[in-house]
């Protein structure tokens, strides 16, 4: 029982780490598109380092920091588990250090994924109160988003970066559709985004695929292979496979060439030896 529990815990940690990693990637490359999705109307003007060393004794890693146009700092944390008071104390420490170091007001936004619906958002200790601004991902409906994007595609309305920026997060949204249906639909939609830079689409597809590997089982992953082949990501994977095949072919070719060269050398040596023996026999030296 213990071994199974440990395995489930490790598997859950991996899924959580994947969600956090995907969220960081999406924020890094699609900040302008994602902030309005979280109800943030201001524009970000700069990234703020996320590593903070305090008195050289404690190192804290924040998930994401942005400097906003009004001079304040928007600090983001991505949470797949609900740590309650302990997490709030950690966020408070991050926020306090940022505020002291940069001398600017800080607001902490926490994006809760997984099955979290009602997280603790405020604590009062002593005479001080601290609170965060929660963003509950399950409150967003994956089915409504997909229906909206599919309607745009059917009406030949060009898709935008903002439209696609939510696709990797479909597995952590609410809704009735299965994870497989969401991911299949997400890949299908990316193939219709012909007015978005290929580099952006590749990043989105890679993020979708990362989530797929954590939320789908082996049989389900096999089912989405056909759809992935039609995407930019699929084309890149195929090309990578071809390159590896060509390189392997070249290696095999070089090996065969070396073998042939060695065989020719041995034959030449044998022929030279036989020639020398004939010369000796007939006194031709």
């Amino acid at each position: 029982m213990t071994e199974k529990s440990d395995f489930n815990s490790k598997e859950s940690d991996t899924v959580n780490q994947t969600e956090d990693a995907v969220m960081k990637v999406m924020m890094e490359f699609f900040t302008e598109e994602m902030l309005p999705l979280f109800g943030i109307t201001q524009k970000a003007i700069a990234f703020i380092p996320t590593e903070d060393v305090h008195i050289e004794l404690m190192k804290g890693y924040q998930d994401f920091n942005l400097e906003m146009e009004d001079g304040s700092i928007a600090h983001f944390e991505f949470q797949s588990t609900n740590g309650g008071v302990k997490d709030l104390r950690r966020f408070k420490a991050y926020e306090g250090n940022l505020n002291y170091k940069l001398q600017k007001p800080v607001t902490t936004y926490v994006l809760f994924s997984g099955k979290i619906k009602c997280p603790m958002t405020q604590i009062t200790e002593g005479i001080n109160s601290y609170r965060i601004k929660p963003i509950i991902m399950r409150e967003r409906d994956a089915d409504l988003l997909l229906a909206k994007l599919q309607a745009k595609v059917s009406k030949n309305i060009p898709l935008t970066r903002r439209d696609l920026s939510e696709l990797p997060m479909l597995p952590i949204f609410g809704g009735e559709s299965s994870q497989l249906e969401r991911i299949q639909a997400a890949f299908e939609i990316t193939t219709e985004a012909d007015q978005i830079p290929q580099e952006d689409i590749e990043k989105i597809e890679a993020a979708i695929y990362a989530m797929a590997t954590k939320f789908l089982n082996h049989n389900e992953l096999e089912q989405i292979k056909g759809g992935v082949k039609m995407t930019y990501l699929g084309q890149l994977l195929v090309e990578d496979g071809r390159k590896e095949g060509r390189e392997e072919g070249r290696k095999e070719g070089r090996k065969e060439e070396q073998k042939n060269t060695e065989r020719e050398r041995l034959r030449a040596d044998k022929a030279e030896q036989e020639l020398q023996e004939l010369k000796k026999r007939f006194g031709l030296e």
Side-chain angles (χ1 to χ4, degrees):
M1 181 64 70
T2 302
E3 291 182 359
K4 184 175 180 181
S5 298
D6 290 344
F7 174 79
N8 289 338
S9 176
K10 291 177 182 177
E11 185 177 44
S12 177
D13 288 344
T14 301
V15 172
N16 294 343
Q17 291 167 6
T18 300
E19 291 179 26
D20 292 352
V22 167
M23 292 299 298
K24 290 178 185 178
V25 169
M26 297 307 294
M27 285 291 290
E28 181 175 354
F29 291 103
F30 303 98
T31 296
E32 185 175 340
E33 288 75 24
M34 293 190 70
L35 290 185
L37 302 177
F38 306 143
I40 301 172
T41 57
Q42 287 196 68
K43 292 183 179 180
I45 61 172
F47 294 104
I48 303 296
T50 55
E51 179 179 340
D52 181 43
V53 180
H54 180 60
I55 320 180
E56 298 183 356
L57 293 176
M58 179 184 71
K59 182 176 288 188
Y61 290 94
Q62 298 124 41
D63 281 344
F64 214 86
N65 296 323
L66 294 171
E67 181 178 358
M68 310 306 288
E69 58 187 348
D70 67 351
S72 66
I73 306 299
H75 166 56
F76 292 88
E77 289 289 331
F78 309 129
Q79 286 297 109
S80 306
T81 57
N82 188 3
V85 172
K86 184 177 180 180
D87 278 347
L88 288 176
R89 286 173 175 162
R90 177 164 58 89
F91 302 154
K92 180 182 177 183
Y94 290 162
E95 191 173 306
N97 287 333
L98 273 174
N99 174 252
Y100 180 75
K101 180 180 178 181
L102 302 177
Q103 296 293 297
K104 294 181 178 181
V106 181
T107 300
T108 296
Y109 300 85
V110 182
L111 280 66
F112 290 100
S113 60
K115 297 182 179 180
I116 303 172
K117 291 184 178 180
C118 300
M120 180 179 290
T121 62
Q122 181 172 335
I123 55 173
T124 298
E125 297 181 308
I127 62 172
N128 299 310
S129 292
Y130 171 74
R131 64 189 178 93
I132 51 118
K133 295 194 73 171
I135 300 170
I136 313 299
M137 305 306 290
R138 288 189 67 82
E139 291 181 351
R140 300 174 184 274
D141 194 309
D143 302 331
L144 288 177
L145 173 61
L146 286 173
K148 170 189 168 185
L149 297 183
Q150 289 164 344
K152 290 187 72 171
V153 170
S154 66
K155 295 176 182 177
N156 294 319
I157 300 174
L159 295 170
T160 65
R161 279 168 50 109
R162 183 172 297 179
D163 288 330
L164 299 192
S165 65
E166 290 186 271
L167 292 179
M169 296 183 286
L170 287 174
I172 56 177
F173 283 179
E176 298 299 321
S177 57
S178 69
Q179 301 288 21
L180 176 60
E181 291 170 331
R182 298 179 191 189
I183 290 169
Q184 285 177 323
F187 277 126
E188 290 172 4
I189 288 170
T190 64
T191 63
E192 301 291 340
D194 52 10
Q195 296 191 23
I196 296 175
Q198 181 175 334
E199 183 180 359
D200 290 343
I201 296 178
E202 289 170 3
K203 289 185 177 72
I204 290 169
E205 289 175 346
I208 295 171
Y209 190 76
M211 295 292 261
T213 61
K214 299 307 173 186
F215 285 94
L216 302 183
N217 60 40
H218 176 74
N219 291 333
E220 290 172 329
L221 284 172
E222 287 293 317
Q223 292 183 55
I224 70 167
K225 277 187 176 179
V228 173
K229 288 179 182 177
M230 300 299 293
T231 67
Y232 281 127
L233 175 63
Q235 293 169 23
L236 288 174
L237 293 174
V238 169
E239 183 57 29
D240 285 346
R242 288 174 178 165
K243 288 179 180 177
E244 290 178 5
R246 288 195 292 268
E247 180 59 29
E248 189 62 30
R250 284 193 289 269
K251 289 179 180 178
E252 291 299 322
R254 287 194 292 270
K255 288 180 181 178
E256 188 61 32
E257 184 179 347
Q258 290 171 354
K259 289 180 181 177
N260 290 336
T261 301
E262 180 64 16
R263 282 195 291 266
E264 290 296 328
R265 188 185 66 77
L266 291 173
R267 279 197 292 266
D269 289 346
K270 185 177 181 181
E272 179 65 22
Q273 184 178 1
E274 291 174 347
L275 178 60
Q276 294 301 327
E277 289 176 354
L278 286 172
K279 285 182 177 180
K280 287 180 181 178
R281 181 180 302 176
F282 293 100
L284 297 176
E285 290 186 320

